[in-house]
Amino acid sequence: MHSIAHLLRPDIAALESYTPVAPIEVLAARLGLPIERIIKLDANESPYGASPRALAALAAVGGQPNHGGAALQYGDPSVVAIYPDPNHTLLREQLSRYTGQPAERIICSSGSGELIDLVMRVLLQPGDTIIDCPPTFGMYGFDAGIHGAKVIEVPRDQAFAIDIEGVAEATEQHGAKMIFVTLPNNPTGNLITHAEIERLLELPLLVIVDEAYVEFAGVSVVDMIGRYPNLAVLRTFSKWAGLAGLRIGYGLFHEELIQHLWKIKQPYNINVAAQAAALGSLEDVDYLMDKARIIVAERERIYARLQSLPGLHVYPSQANFLLCRVLAGDAKALKDELMRRGILVRYFNKPGLSDCIRFSIGTPEQNDVLLAALEETVGVTVRAV
Ligand SMILES: *Cc1c(COP(=O)(O)O)cnc(C)c1O
């Protein structure tokens, strides 16, 4: 018997495991609650789920190819017996209409997470550096570790704005190759201006703008792709389109970079069901944007209500979630109490996010339950202090 310890890449052996959130079935069982009583506001998923046309497209997936003795319909995107289109031709055509960018600048991925990894594979060698601006999405720093890259942190200021001059200095000092800018930022919900992005684009590094929540914010830098070879935009169907479980995203890149991404992408990275559901969603943009507008209106309603709650500081947000700092009492205890009531929220205890919780905007009914619970529990915590 041989141990494989001496065969492992030392950097991977030393890497800390990523801790995903417990699945909802497991949590429901642990809480002793039926699953339909759980209000899941911890991962910014859509409370409305997939659109009707996406669900219809999914239902059609897997139709029997040989029924009635007919031959396989090779062109039918719903036939599961055939490998999916590695070029995502239909989907990229529709995404071109949706984004206003030529299909040649678009590449699709198994969630936008896959593109974070692909971009790093194209640019990073072990020992290279990337710039991360915490507090922000954790995957950038995590993925950089997998590639043996160093992460230089340039923290955001009190209002969570990016320290542009700090980034410029760090880029020069470390020869950083890329920076991730989340628009709007997760978990803080704030935007970055076009002028600030243009300033970052003057630096000699790739600027990757992660627009996972762009449908809730209504601002995008996608129109700038053609003018800046060092700009990339990542998008996803996980949030606004309610397809987080199917893993489907896309990116927009200048011609100079996208050719290299095509070379290294796994050919069949997107399955037939995900392509069909994404196409269905793009036929249902009006429906989905109506839901996005409801979510935005709800976000503003909750924001206003929570401002009158002295134990919480709620930050303004342009996304489908709100970040709150717990001023009186313990944020972890608040998260646990909400969980006991079947409401799942995200708790942070990281630099810049001490005593913070983040919750996604649910349906109006779910939000009412959350508001009542916050008004009850935060009030209690204040009195107990
Ligand atoms: C949720 C989220 C994503 C989505 O990732 P997928 O892999 O497409 O599900 C990407 N970026 C940020 C900042 C997110 O919050």
Side-chain angles (χ1 to χ4, degrees):
M1 288 251 287
H2 280 292
S3 158
I4 53 110
H6 65 294
L7 304 175
L8 285 170
R9 267 172 57 171
D11 55 337
I12 299 289
L15 214 59
E16 273 180 48
S17 309
Y18 181 78
T19 339
V21 287
I24 186 163
E25 300 82 358
V26 173
L27 282 173
R30 205 183 288 163
L31 295 167
L33 291 173
I35 197 156
E36 60 282 0
R37 275 278 319 279
I38 303 285
I39 299 182
K40 188 175 186 321
L41 305 178
D42 59 349
N44 303 338
E45 293 129 330
S46 169
Y48 297 106
S51 79
R53 287 188 171 97
L55 291 174
L58 272 178
V61 164
Q64 275 306 316
N66 268 322
H67 59 95
L72 273 174
Q73 295 289 305
Y74 290 112
D76 184 341
S78 68
V79 172
V80 296
I82 305 293
Y83 280 109
D85 173 10
N87 297 328
H88 324 125
T89 315
L90 278 179
L91 183 52
R92 284 170 48 240
E93 267 168 30
Q94 296 309 313
L95 283 171
S96 171
R97 295 182 46 186
Y98 179 63
T99 61
Q101 290 293 306
E104 293 70 39
R105 291 193 185 135
I106 302 172
I107 188 164
C108 302
S109 56
S110 172
S112 53
E114 184 189 14
L115 276 171
I116 298 175
D117 180 63
L118 288 182
V119 171
M120 287 188 177
R121 282 178 200 236
V122 168
L123 267 68
L124 297 180
Q125 293 186 289
D128 282 346
T129 55
I130 77 155
I131 293 185
D132 198 26
C133 299
T136 190
F137 191 45
M139 285 308 289
Y140 316 133
F142 176 79
D143 265 354
I146 295 174
H147 295 277
K150 275 196 304 249
V151 179
I152 305 294
E153 294 196 340
V154 180
R156 289 162 183 263
D157 70 13
Q158 289 291 307
F160 303 123
I162 290 184
D163 170 6
I164 304 279
E165 288 322 306
V167 170
E169 276 164 38
T171 303
E172 189 182 349
Q173 191 185 340
H174 301 278
K177 285 192 155 175
M178 60 173 81
I179 181 173
F180 285 89
V181 175
T182 320
L183 176 74
N185 190 38
N186 176 15
T188 60
N190 60 310
L191 300 176
I192 175 171
T193 66
H194 276 54
E196 287 171 309
I197 292 199
E198 273 165 4
R199 174 75 187 95
L200 292 175
L201 287 166
E202 288 167 11
L203 302 172
L205 82 182
L206 180 70
V207 178
I208 300 144
V209 179
D210 183 341
E211 295 192 347
Y213 301 98
V214 76
E215 280 80 4
F216 304 101
V219 290
S220 167
V221 296
V222 87
D223 292 346
M224 292 159 64
I225 293 275
R227 281 183 285 134
Y228 293 98
N230 65 329
L231 173 65
V233 173
L234 305 184
R235 297 268 188 97
T236 179
F237 285 82
S238 292
K239 310 291 161 59
W240 73 292
L243 299 184
L246 280 171
R247 316 303 306 127
I248 178 84
Y250 59 102
L252 299 111
F253 302 86
H254 193 274
E255 291 76 348
E256 215 186 300
L257 177 56
I258 201 166
Q259 51 175 318
H260 303 291
L261 294 167
W262 279 111
K263 287 191 287 193
I264 63 166
K265 176 182 87 61
Q266 294 285 330
Y268 305 119
N269 60 328
I270 301 177
N271 68 62
V272 164
Q275 290 197 51
L279 282 167
S281 303
L282 292 173
E283 285 174 24
D284 255 343
V285 170
D286 289 347
Y287 170 93
L288 289 168
M289 289 311 290
D290 265 352
K291 297 295 187 222
R293 272 187 288 277
I294 296 172
I295 287 170
V296 166
E298 282 292 291
R299 179 189 74 208
E300 295 309 306
R301 177 174 79 95
I302 301 171
Y303 178 79
R305 268 275 283 278
L306 291 184
Q307 277 200 310
S308 55
L309 200 60
L312 280 186
H313 176 78
V314 54
Y315 292 92
S317 166
Q318 302 298 314
N320 66 339
F321 53 79
L322 284 164
L323 182 75
C324 296
R325 201 176 293 274
V326 181
L327 303 175
D330 178 43
K332 171 80 164 48
L334 175 60
K335 178 216 147 195
D336 289 341
E337 176 54 33
L338 292 172
M339 190 188 285
R340 264 192 292 281
R341 295 162 182 241
I343 307 169
L344 311 182
V345 303
R346 185 77 194 268
Y347 159 71
F348 296 100
N349 196 14
K350 294 194 281 195
L353 292 179
S354 50
D355 307 314
C356 283
I357 61 165
R358 183 201 69 197
F359 50 80
S360 331
I361 310 302
T363 62
E365 298 72 33
Q366 292 176 325
N367 299 333
D368 283 339
V369 175
L370 171 75
L371 280 168
L374 284 174
E375 283 166 353
E376 248 180 77
T377 49
V378 175
V380 168
T381 331
V382 175
R383 257 172 267 132
V385 163

